[in-house]
């Protein structure tokens, strides 16, 4: 039986949120004006996300706007440097071990995230995960527009995007699917996989996992590496 293992990214594989870290990086790069207002708004939206109330479209409109008009090569170079300096040190040691375990078992590995592909993909590459399902930023004539394309990989959108991806990969029915996630926002996808695993779960997801008998992992009990 073919096995598909899915990983959420933020607060699951890494101790933190790559988009939040990137916001600070864009400030350092001088790409964001009125940084105090920006960070206050971003913080409010992060709190809404963790409460299961975020309208992701609003967050993306604000956080992708600084990329508008910038060419892909420039952004890619900045993100590559950012990932090495600020993201990889936050990856949980247990995440690396778990990825290796599934890779060695011959599973197909996918990161499925509500963050933008321009951040998620280089992190996945660094972790040796070949496939990515993420928010798709719009690119026209080699430049970001600040908009997004297609269904957002968020809440039930993750289920829809996964189904679309499986069709693109010509994967047959009968896959054994495992999904690791920390967030109540991922309950729609956790409910449809064969093996849901909650990692560092938020309070709502922790309660759901206990009721459903889902496996729970608490990677913050040890230092990240």
């Amino acid at each position: 039986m073919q096995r598909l293992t899915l990983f959420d990214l933020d607060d699951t594989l890494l101790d933190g949120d790559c988009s939040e870290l990137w916001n600070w990086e864009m400030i350092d790069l001088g790409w964001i004006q009125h940084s105090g207002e920006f960070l206050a708004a971003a913080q409010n939206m992060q709190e809404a996300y963790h409460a299961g109330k975020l309208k992701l479209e609003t967050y993306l409109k604000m956080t992708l706007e600084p990329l508008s008009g910038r060419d892909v090569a420039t952004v890619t170079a900045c993100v590559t440097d950012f990932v090495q300096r600020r993201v990889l040190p936050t990856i949980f040691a247990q995440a690396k071990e778990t990825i290796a375990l599934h890779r060695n078992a011959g599973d197909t590995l996918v990161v499925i995230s509500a963050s933008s592909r321009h951040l998620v993909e280089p992190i996945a590459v660094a972790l040796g995960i070949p496939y990515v399902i993420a928010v798709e930023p719009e690119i026209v004539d080699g430049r970001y527009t600040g908009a997004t394309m297609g269904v957002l990989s968020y809440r039930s959108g993750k289920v829809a995007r996964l189904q679309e991806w499986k069709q693109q990969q010509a994967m047959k029915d009968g896959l054994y699917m495992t999904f690791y996630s920390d967030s109540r926002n991922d309950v729609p996808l956790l409910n449809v996989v064969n093996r849901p695993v909650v990692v560092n779960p938020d309070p709502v997801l922790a309660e759901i996992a206990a009721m459903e008998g889902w496996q729970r992992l608490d990677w913050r009990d040890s230092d990240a590496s």
Side-chain angles (χ1 to χ4, degrees):
M1 178 181 293
Q2 188 174 6
R3 302 173 72 92
L4 183 63
T5 298
L6 310 161
F7 298 96
D8 178 49
L9 179 60
D10 301 311
D11 291 305
T12 300
L13 295 181
L14 64 90
D15 189 3
D17 184 290
C18 67
S19 297
E20 189 172 6
L21 292 172
W22 176 243
N23 289 342
W24 284 98
E25 185 75 9
M26 288 193 293
I27 290 171
D28 290 345
L29 289 166
W31 292 3
I32 293 175
Q33 306 300 318
H34 309 294
S35 59
E37 296 175 13
F38 180 96
L39 290 173
Q43 179 61 35
N44 287 338
M45 291 185 215
Q46 284 286 338
E47 291 173 1
Y49 171 82
H50 290 295
K53 299 177 180 179
L54 175 67
K55 291 186 177 179
L56 187 60
E57 297 88 343
T58 303
Y59 182 76
L60 290 168
K61 181 178 180 180
M62 183 182 76
T63 56
L64 289 176
E65 193 281 332
L67 302 187
S68 181
R70 300 187 190 278
D71 66 90
V72 170
T74 297
V75 174
T76 298
C78 292
V79 171
T80 299
D81 175 66
F82 156 76
V83 167
Q84 291 295 322
R85 287 187 295 103
R86 302 187 72 168
V87 177
L88 295 187
T90 72
I91 301 296
F92 289 106
Q94 301 96 322
K96 297 176 186 177
E97 294 165 1
T98 302
I99 292 167
L101 182 68
H102 284 284
R103 182 188 298 113
N104 292 338
D107 296 7
T108 299
L109 307 182
V110 182
V111 172
I112 183 164
S113 173
S115 292
S116 175
R117 177 176 289 273
H118 76 284
L119 300 175
V120 178
E121 191 161 56
I123 299 170
V125 168
L127 295 174
I129 298 178
Y131 297 106
V132 167
I133 300 170
V135 169
E136 300 293 345
E138 185 181 59
I139 298 169
V140 176
D141 296 330
R143 295 182 180 274
Y144 289 94
T145 68
T148 61
M149 301 185 300
V151 176
L152 300 180
S153 45
Y154 180 54
R155 295 180 179 162
S156 61
K158 280 193 175 181
V159 178
R161 289 287 305 280
L162 175 61
Q163 184 62 30
E164 177 187 323
W165 179 84
K166 287 164 56 183
Q167 291 173 352
Q168 292 170 348
Q169 299 295 320
M171 288 190 167
K172 298 179 180 179
D173 292 335
L175 288 171
Y176 185 90
M177 295 191 294
T178 300
F179 179 38
Y180 294 82
S181 176
D182 72 290
S183 175
R184 72 188 74 182
N185 293 299
D186 283 336
V187 168
L189 183 52
L190 287 162
N191 274 327
V192 301
V193 299
N194 304 92
R195 182 185 169 218
V197 183
V198 302
V199 181
N200 315 314
D202 66 41
V204 170
L205 183 56
E207 184 175 349
I208 293 171
M211 291 173 54
E212 297 290 341
W214 293 346
Q215 183 180 0
R216 172 173 173 167
L217 302 172
D218 291 287
W219 290 347
R220 286 198 173 96
D221 289 345
S222 300
D223 292 336
S225 69

